[in-house]
Structures are given as C-alpha cells and as structure tokens.
Amino acid sequence: MTNNYELYKVFYWAAKTGSLTQAAKALYLTQPSVSHAIKQLEDRFGITLFHRNAKGVALTQEGAVLYSYIEQSHLLIAMAEEKMAALKNLESGELRIGGSDSLFKHYLLPHLEKFRQRHPGVKLHLKHGTTPEIIAFLKEGAIDMGVVRMPIVDSHLEVRESYQLQDCFVAGALYGELKDKVLTVEMLLQYPVILFSRNSRARMAITELFHSYGHTLKPEIEVGSVDLLIEFARRGIGISYITREFVSRELEEGSLFEIQLNIQLPPSHVGVMTMRGVPLSSAATGFMERILEK
C-alpha cells in the first residue's frame, strides 16, 4: 500500500477510533495491513505517530499535528463527494441557457418552470440575444446550450432538432374583410406589413421566399419585439409576420386572425446547440433530455 491517500486514510481512522482493529473494520482491511500502513508513514516521516496502550493506540504529539491536517482534508473530501452526488442528482448546480426573448417566453418557459419545480436547488442563468450572439456566448463558455432557429452550420457546434414552428401573417379586426379571402403575394404587399426589426432567421427566410417569387418584401413598419408585432396587428396598424405558436391565444380568442396566402410558407425548426466534444453538466444534460422528448 504505497498510495499516499490510502496511507493517510488508514492513519485518519486509526487516530479517530484509537484502535487499529476498528480502523481495519472501517476500511475493510486486515489489522496487519493497517499496522503496515502506519509503519510506512512513520518510516517516511522518521517519527512515531502512535503510542500503544491498553485500549489500543493514542497519538503522539507529532501524530496529533499530522491528524489536525488530515482531519481537515478528510472533511473536505467528504464535502466534495457530497457535492458531486448533489450535482449528479440535480440538487445543486447551475443551468446556463441562451436564446431569444420570444423562444424563452413561448417555448422554453414551460420547460424551465417544470425543471425548476423538480430541481429547486439548480440556479438558472439565462442570456438573451440574436442567433449570432447566442453562438458567441456558447463559444466563450458563458452558456451550456443555446436554443435558436435552424439551420445552423458550424463545425464547432452540435445541433439537435427540437421543435417545429410555423410562421404566418396575422391581422386584427380592422382588416376583417380579408378573413375569408386567399391573398396572392401581390395582394398582400398592398397592405402595410410589419416585420421584426432585427435580422432574425424568420425575417431572412420570408424575405428570401418572397424574392423567389419575384417580389421584394419591404416592411412599412419594423418593431423590436414579438409583443409589439402582436399589439400592432391587434390595433390594426398593419399585418404582422409572426410565429403562429406565439399568437395561439390571440388566434383562439379572435383578437387576431391568420391571413391565408396562395403560397405555402415553409415551417422552421428550433435547434438546441452545444459545443461539440464538450461534456455537459448534469443540470444541462437533464434539461436537454426534457426539451428533446418527443
């Protein structure tokens, strides 16, 4: 038995119990093995660590000094083992996720709520941003995973498809005459179109689609949030391009209706990005499994 840690562990239990026999039982060793380990330590330091007495063994003055250090180390190791067990069982730790405001609110929030209820000891750290910003956060190590619209092409990232979205044009009561009509692209462009102002994946996709039909999509109004897209459409300020899943409540209650077009708007997909080859924390792994459940 030459491993320092094993020798110190034998020393710790012999000092703690005051008995080589009890130390042997605690460590599932034979008493000769315990005696040999103690002798190895004494030979290494060139000092006597224990005195034998009628009850077993007692620390010498030098042995007591060593024990004061080894006891602290043992407690720290025990705490480390407890911490590792807690992290594994998701009793503590941190979950760091990046995504857009709209994906947090309309997609991730229910998952985060359930995860928080099940694992209240895990701290949540959320970073908002555009897709390029989320990719940068991930590569900097500021987040464990990013939730963004696909496609994402980057050899440093691993992307798993999670959820399908469908974008559409919506309007409020002021444009009620369009509710039962099927519009061509030319007809739609006669009305004020409202788009998200930031260069989002959804905006890029619809711009490219209209271009493929020979039309340039120039919004009359640009806004900086999904909530404003919804509110402007409800107030009749224009026709908003938005993700259907983000306005399901408004469509159901009738404050908004979907504009029907004679062309098919392709669906998009939400992807979960992680750094390729970088292991995830237990918290991130647990959350990843939840959101990828089909």
Side-chain angles (χ1 to χ4, degrees):
M1 186 186 296
T2 57
N3 183 286
N4 281 351
Y5 174 68
E6 295 299 326
L7 295 179
Y8 289 134
K9 190 159 64 170
V10 171
F11 168 80
Y12 171 81
W13 281 102
K16 183 178 177 66
T17 61
S19 167
L20 300 186
T21 301
Q22 292 302 316
K25 287 182 179 179
L27 298 170
Y28 301 98
L29 297 172
T30 64
Q31 186 170 329
S33 295
V34 170
S35 297
H36 181 64
I38 298 299
K39 188 174 188 309
Q40 280 186 281
L41 270 181
E42 290 180 328
D43 290 344
R44 183 171 296 175
F45 292 127
I47 57 176
T48 301
L49 299 173
F50 290 99
H51 291 305
R52 291 186 179 273
N53 56 37
K55 294 182 179 180
V57 293
L59 287 167
T60 63
Q61 186 175 353
E62 294 81 5
V65 172
L66 178 62
Y67 180 72
S68 67
Y69 288 99
I70 298 302
E71 183 181 33
Q72 293 179 55
S73 300
H74 182 82
L75 291 174
L76 287 172
I77 290 170
M79 289 171 61
E81 290 176 342
E82 289 177 5
K83 181 67 174 177
M84 291 302 100
L87 289 172
K88 180 181 178 182
N89 297 325
L90 299 185
E91 296 169 4
S92 64
E94 186 178 39
L95 177 60
R96 306 176 305 161
I97 307 177
S100 66
D101 290 345
S102 55
L103 285 177
F104 271 124
K105 179 179 179 180
H106 297 282
Y107 170 57
L108 284 172
L109 186 57
H111 294 293
L112 288 168
E113 183 180 15
K114 291 179 181 177
F115 186 85
R116 180 70 173 173
Q117 290 170 352
R118 187 170 296 181
H119 310 292
V122 176
K123 295 180 181 179
L124 299 180
H125 182 65
L126 311 179
K127 290 185 76 70
H128 303 247
T130 62
T131 295
E133 289 170 339
I134 298 306
I135 291 174
F137 291 151
L138 192 58
K139 291 183 175 181
E140 292 165 4
I143 56 175
D144 302 307
M145 66 178 71
V147 180
V148 295
R149 287 192 185 231
M150 298 172 70
I152 300 294
V153 181
D154 190 314
S155 61
H156 296 100
L157 303 177
E158 186 172 350
V159 186
R160 301 170 179 86
E161 183 180 309
S162 171
Y163 187 66
Q164 180 171 296
L165 299 173
Q166 180 61 60
D167 296 311
C168 63
F169 289 93
V170 297
L174 192 64
Y175 295 95
E177 75 276 5
L178 302 178
K179 195 167 187 179
D180 298 318
K181 293 184 178 180
V182 177
L183 304 185
T184 64
V185 172
E186 294 86 347
M187 294 169 64
L188 175 69
L189 292 178
Q190 294 174 12
Y191 295 91
V193 173
I194 309 171
L195 295 182
F196 194 56
S197 58
R198 305 175 83 177
N199 198 20
S200 66
R201 296 277 173 173
R203 176 164 178 172
M204 291 168 60
I206 193 64
T207 300
E208 290 171 4
L209 179 66
F210 273 47
H211 183 73
S212 70
Y213 283 95
H215 297 281
T216 300
L217 180 58
K218 291 184 177 180
E220 187 165 319
I221 302 170
E222 295 180 301
V223 297
S225 73
V226 171
D227 288 342
L228 285 176
L229 282 173
I230 296 172
E231 193 60 27
F232 273 42
R234 287 180 61 176
R235 292 173 180 266
I237 298 174
I239 295 175
S240 289
Y241 184 66
I242 195 168
T243 302
R244 183 188 292 154
E245 288 78 6
F246 297 171
V247 288
S248 57
R249 179 170 59 85
E250 288 79 5
L251 292 173
E252 186 176 344
E253 70 186 14
S255 60
L256 290 175
F257 66 91
E258 184 174 344
I259 299 292
Q260 303 299 318
L261 296 178
N262 70 335
I263 61 171
Q264 182 67 38
L265 301 181
S268 61
H269 295 87
V270 173
V272 182
M273 302 184 302
T274 56
M275 286 297 294
R276 190 177 300 278
V278 176
L280 290 175
S281 66
S282 297
T285 299
F287 188 74
M288 172 86 76
E289 292 172 353
R290 170 174 290 278
I291 62 177
L292 291 180
E293 286 179 355
K294 298 298 184 181

